[in-house]
Amino acid sequence: MTAETTSARERLTRARLAFRRWRRSRPFWGGLLLLLSGALIFYSGNLDLGNLQVHLGLPGFQSYVIPLVLALCGLLGWFSPAQRIFYGVIGLLAAVYSLVGANLGGFVLGFVVGTFGGGLMVAWVPHKHPSVASGSDTTAHHEDIPEDVQESQGLGVLQPEGAADDAGQSEGDTTQPPLVPTQARHAQPDDEPAGDDEAPEGKQGERFPRPRHAADQPDVAGETQRSISTVRWSPRTVVAIVTAAVVAAIGAVTLPTAATAAAETCASQQLTQLLNNAKSGKISTKPGAENQSKAPSKKRSTGTTSKSTKSGASSTSGSAAADAEGSAVLASVPAYGPIDPITGLIGKLLGDDPTPDPSPSAAPSSDPTPDPTPSTDPTPSPKPSGEPTTGKPTGKPTDEPKPPSGPGKTVTPSPSPSVICSTPKQLDAAKGQPNVADKPGKMTATLETLHGLSFDGVVDLPTHSGTVKALQFSMDSAISTPFDLQPAPKDGEKIDIKSSQLTVSGNVKFYCSEMKGNLLGVVPVDFTVDSPPPLVLQELFFTDVTFQLVFVYADELTADNLDISVS
Amino acid sequence: MEETEKQGQGGTRWRRFAAVMVPTVAAVGVLGAGIASGAVPVTFAVSGTQFHLTAKHLSGTDFTQYGSVVKIKAAGAYTAVAESTISSADITNLCQSVGQPLPNLPGVSGKTGWLKLTAGDQPDKPAHATGLIIDMTHLHGDATFTHINIGQDASDLSDRGQVGGFGQAADGVEIEGLDQNAWSTTAGTFTLPNLDLSVSMGGAGDDPCK
């Protein structure tokens, strides 16, 4: 029992002694402080280590690199003391740079610790006698140390040191220009004492018996002292140059700004539009088909007619024309299918007939044809050139005058907007319309006052994955009291944006897929894309209104007591 | 034995230490003066704990805000944030504070250590930040935006926004009486005239930036 405890105690003492020896044979405190400063700076950027969050971008990158450099300088200084000046200076510079590069040097603390650590590492000097933090020093004390401790020492010190020495060797080789002889590195520990000649222990003789280095360079002695002392500073100058280069490199890395590639979907759309317009014979097929599925609106129907007009004009001959006109007829059918207040109006404008689907579209096609092969079209009920569609218009010759008036008004404007960035639809999305979110946000207000309001129609706004339908309003200004917006959560995050009074003004474009509330405070209404508002007044207000908000643009938005919270 | 040990080992040469530290301190003095006067910008990347930021006035350009990927793992649950970016901002009376519960040691247990940073308290010399990315959980203030888009696709606003996410973007932003809580702040550069950094100890509610 007692024997065991004593042996345990002995072992402990030996371990402590061994550690002390290990500690004293290298710039221990400098390395420790550098490690600590690395940890402090890292911690300053990641205040809760349990909740690590990756920092992105260059500032985030620096918040990892600087602590890493500091910690590495500390460790390498331990395991490769021969290079301590290099590591010390790099650590010192990294600590100073952390002041601007990483949270004010870990809120100053990490910077202070790192500076001291680097300074201490540079200032550490091996004592004159035999060896410096190398295997030889442990062997020197073999007699004093029992086997087990020797072994642990061997494992603890010799092995990592050997590895570190290798690393140090290669590093030293790369950092030192060919001009500096390799002996300079080895001579370094030797010349430290020389620098300390003024120090009390001026035992010159002790400098020479250096088992390890002396073997490497037997000529490191009195007469070479001078040449060495001239060489002496060169490693340091090299270090200074290298570190300056490192700092410059860091600085250079700091400059580039992240390039933001704004995807211009517009351009490609425009291009395809232009191409399509160029070969109008083909284009009429496409928009016609697309229009089939869309709810009607004024611009849209005119767009259709204008297209069919164009196609009719261009299709002077044969089968191409048949194709084009056939599609035009198809397109016109849905245009008059659903009868809403608005479409009814449009219908009247265009010459509203009971349900004579094809007549309007067919009529324009026959109308502009005058140039090429026209005259035959209206009168002979059979097809002039084998076109099935032309048979229909003849059925209602009386309608003929009206339809042209409809398209006549709008033929000129419609082609030009279609060239502008937009997909063909009832209402073209405004030029430069950015992609909108997949799902609308829910916007509510107790009182919503709208000034200079107009309802423009139904529009397909582009999203990343397609389009989303929305009612488009234009207004001079709108005031929501109080305002609340909850964007559709994308990944479970719930964001709530509130304001006691929010005002949007100046060229306001307001897109929503649904608008539900009490019109003028009394009439409950629920406008959707399928049942758009029949008419709007310039000045309107709603109470307890809920919008499915797709998109809003405004020149200016002011939000009193804006409050964004996340849950 | 002591003698031999000593001979085989090393020690610190304080003269050399002084020789290294004197130029360092001088350089740091110049650098520190530059930082504190706002001449030298610094970089920030802080995350992992709730911190509090207030300002009398913030005036920025190229503002975006969108719901961000839930990415902070706190106590086993994910926390959502609203991510906000401002490419350039002037901030007057900036005050930022972080509170950290102190370890359970005698004298300090149960208390909170507060770190407070203030800058830009002169209206003509505001603090200036570029490349600001803030993951916030709460924001309050009287705001004015110019040329604002509401409902824009978040992935078009930032690489970090989600495809199809609901986002806001504005050319300009002005916020009076800004008060926000955030999980992380990253700033490419921060110039901090009249920088003042202080540490205090108090209760969990003694936020120095009120």
Side-chain angles (χ1 to χ4, degrees):
Chain A
M1 184 68 190
T2 46
E4 268 174 34
T5 48
T6 48
S7 78
R9 196 178 297 148
E10 257 173 37
R11 206 170 291 166
L12 203 71
T13 337
R14 280 171 197 158
R16 206 189 297 136
L17 276 174
F19 175 67
R20 187 164 69 181
R21 214 177 342 268
W22 182 86
R23 177 161 60 76
R24 287 184 177 173
S25 61
R26 62 207 67 243
F28 176 76
W29 295 109
L32 189 72
L33 288 183
L34 281 176
L35 272 172
L36 181 65
S37 94
L40 282 169
I41 291 173
F42 182 77
Y43 181 67
S44 80
N46 301 274
L47 287 159
D48 190 343
L49 295 177
N51 299 336
L52 276 189
Q53 185 189 353
V54 177
H55 295 158
L56 296 170
L58 189 80
F61 177 68
Q62 285 184 353
S63 75
Y64 298 120
V65 167
I66 293 170
L68 185 71
V69 167
L70 284 163
L72 277 179
C73 282
L75 281 176
L76 291 169
W78 276 356
F79 295 117
S80 181
Q83 269 76 45
R84 65 190 177 278
I85 293 182
F86 178 81
Y87 297 131
V89 170
I90 295 281
L92 199 63
L93 286 172
V96 172
Y97 179 71
S98 75
L99 212 48
V100 293
N103 303 328
L104 285 174
F107 299 111
V108 180
L109 198 59
F111 148 77
V112 170
V113 172
T115 311
F116 272 90
L120 281 176
M121 184 166 280
V122 172
W124 188 85
V125 167
H127 283 301
K128 311 165 184 269
H129 207 47
S131 53
V132 187
S134 64
S136 57
D137 90 302
T138 48
T139 52
H141 307 291
H142 271 192
E143 307 87 353
D144 306 329
I145 305 157
E147 278 309 306
D148 52 346
V149 177
Q150 270 182 39
E151 251 167 42
S152 72
Q153 248 188 342
L155 285 172
V157 179
L158 281 172
Q159 213 163 290
E161 227 172 71
D165 262 351
D166 287 348
Q169 197 98 2
S170 58
E171 197 155 277
D173 287 343
T174 50
T175 49
Q176 282 168 5
L179 264 179
V180 183
T182 45
Q183 59 158 321
R185 186 160 40 84
H186 292 292
Q188 210 175 281
D190 196 45
D191 76 78
E192 299 331 341
D196 291 322
D197 269 352
E198 313 93 293
E201 333 99 306
K203 305 172 214 159
Q204 293 283 349
E206 289 197 10
R207 190 181 301 135
F208 302 124
R210 302 178 50 90
R212 194 180 176 197
H213 295 293
D216 290 340
Q217 310 121 356
D219 58 331
V220 179
E223 68 253 67
T224 49
Q225 183 72 36
R226 266 185 129 198
S227 65
I228 289 167
S229 66
T230 53
V231 175
R232 186 172 91 181
W233 286 102
S234 57
R236 268 174 241 178
T237 33
V238 168
V239 163
I241 290 164
V242 168
T243 50
V246 167
V247 170
I250 291 171
V253 171
T254 320
L255 290 174
T257 50
T260 48
E264 196 45 74
T265 49
C266 236
S268 62
Q269 279 180 17
Q270 270 186 15
L271 200 69
T272 47
Q273 275 288 342
L274 282 169
L275 278 172
N276 283 345
N277 278 7
K279 16 179 186 170
S280 58
K282 273 185 183 171
I283 188 191
S284 65
T285 331
K286 202 186 162 198
E290 260 191 69
N291 279 339
Q292 256 182 299
S293 61
K294 315 253 147 107
S297 91
K298 199 173 187 175
K299 265 193 189 169
R300 189 214 110 191
S301 53
T302 54
T304 316
T305 43
S306 77
K307 288 242 164 82
S308 57
T309 314
K310 225 178 168 187
S311 70
S314 62
S315 63
T316 42
S317 64
S319 55
D323 270 358
E325 288 195 2
S327 69
V329 170
L330 270 176
S332 69
V333 175
Y336 287 81
I339 292 170
D340 298 343
I342 280 265
T343 27
L345 249 168
I346 298 164
K348 269 182 193 138
L349 274 172
L350 293 173
D352 195 25
D353 327 86
T355 28
D357 338 316
S359 62
S361 77
S365 74
S366 58
D367 246 358
T369 33
D371 335 283
T373 41
S375 55
T376 43
D377 269 344
T379 33
S381 41
K383 310 120 193 181
S385 53
E387 291 168 30
T389 45
T390 38
K392 284 159 190 172
T394 50
K396 314 162 198 250
T398 44
D399 293 327
E400 288 243 17
K402 272 182 185 172
S405 74
K409 277 195 272 175
T410 43
V411 156
T412 34
S414 59
S416 48
S418 74
V419 175
I420 295 163
C421 176
S422 66
T423 45
K425 62 198 63 147
Q426 320 86 305
L427 200 62
D428 297 320
K431 186 186 178 189
Q433 170 67 42
N435 287 331
V436 302
D438 290 344
K439 288 180 193 159
K442 182 183 165 199
M443 173 190 153
T444 55
T446 310
L447 175 65
E448 178 81 21
T449 315
L450 309 164
H451 299 292
L453 177 70
S454 67
F455 172 59
D456 303 332
V458 178
V459 66
D460 281 314
L461 293 177
T463 69
H464 249 282
S465 51
T467 58
V468 60
K469 258 185 213 310
L471 304 168
Q472 177 183 326
F473 297 88
S474 300
M475 57 190 94
D476 296 334
S477 67
I479 303 166
S480 315
T481 325
F483 168 91
D484 184 288
L485 172 64
Q486 294 174 359
K490 189 70 190 168
D491 217 12
E493 83 278 9
K494 274 190 196 156
I495 297 175
D496 197 354
I497 303 170
K498 288 180 181 163
S499 167
S500 57
Q501 178 169 321
L502 184 139
T503 307
V504 285
S505 59
N507 298 315
V508 181
K509 292 281 180 199
F510 190 96
Y511 302 86
C512 62
S513 57
E514 188 183 0
M515 179 183 197
K516 191 175 179 181
N518 297 323
L519 178 63
L520 300 172
V522 285
V523 189
V525 292
D526 186 356
F527 298 130
T528 63
V529 178
D530 298 321
S531 61
L535 268 178
V536 293
L537 302 172
Q538 284 246 315
E539 308 291 316
L540 270 188
F541 72 88
F542 294 85
T543 57
D544 295 321
V545 67
T546 302
F547 296 97
Q548 292 298 324
L549 187 70
V550 178
F551 187 78
V552 175
Y553 168 81
D555 283 351
E556 187 168 295
L557 181 151
T558 56
D560 295 343
N561 288 311
L562 176 68
D563 190 293
I564 302 177
S565 58
V566 185
S567 56
Chain B
M1 175 172 170
E2 197 64 29
E3 192 61 22
T4 45
E5 228 174 45
K6 207 164 184 182
Q7 277 179 352
Q9 311 198 351
T12 303
R13 291 282 167 277
W14 291 104
R15 289 166 64 101
R16 181 186 285 218
F17 181 74
V20 172
M21 291 308 274
V22 165
T24 305
V25 167
V28 167
V30 172
L31 195 64
I35 291 170
S37 68
V40 177
V42 296
T43 296
F44 273 95
V46 184
S47 74
T49 195
Q50 282 275 12
F51 57 89
H52 186 207
L53 189 150
T54 64
K56 191 177 169 201
H57 185 87
L58 181 148
S59 166
T61 58
D62 289 337
F63 166 89
T64 71
Q65 185 265 310
Y66 43 89
S68 181
V69 195
V70 281
K71 55 188 171 185
I72 299 161
K73 205 180 170 199
Y78 284 93
T79 305
V81 293
E83 189 156 282
S84 179
T85 69
I86 303 177
S87 51
S88 171
D90 282 328
I91 308 163
T92 46
N93 282 13
L94 170 71
C95 180
Q96 187 165 341
S97 64
V98 186
Q100 281 289 87
L102 293 174
N104 204 4
L105 295 172
V108 298
S109 86
K111 298 214 171 174
T112 301
W114 288 99
L115 178 74
K116 183 179 83 158
L117 181 156
T118 62
D121 53 2
Q122 290 164 356
D124 56 328
K125 282 179 79 182
H128 184 76
T130 59
L132 206 54
I133 305 169
I134 301 168
D135 284 350
M136 63 188 178
T137 51
H138 185 247
L139 178 145
H140 189 268
D142 291 335
T144 303
F145 300 90
T146 48
H147 298 127
I148 187 169
N149 287 343
I150 299 172
Q152 195 168 348
D153 186 293
S155 66
D156 287 351
L157 300 176
S158 158
D159 301 343
R160 304 167 70 182
Q162 290 188 289
V163 174
F166 197 95
Q168 277 74 249
D171 287 351
V173 56
E174 304 270 338
I175 303 176
E176 281 297 331
L178 173 68
D179 186 324
Q180 76 174 13
N181 292 306
W183 272 104
S184 86
T185 296
T186 306
T189 63
F190 236 127
T191 55
L192 301 163
N194 274 356
L195 172 66
D196 184 88
L197 201 63
S198 64
V199 178
S200 61
M201 196 167 73
D206 295 343
D207 192 328
C209 291
K210 285 271 182 183

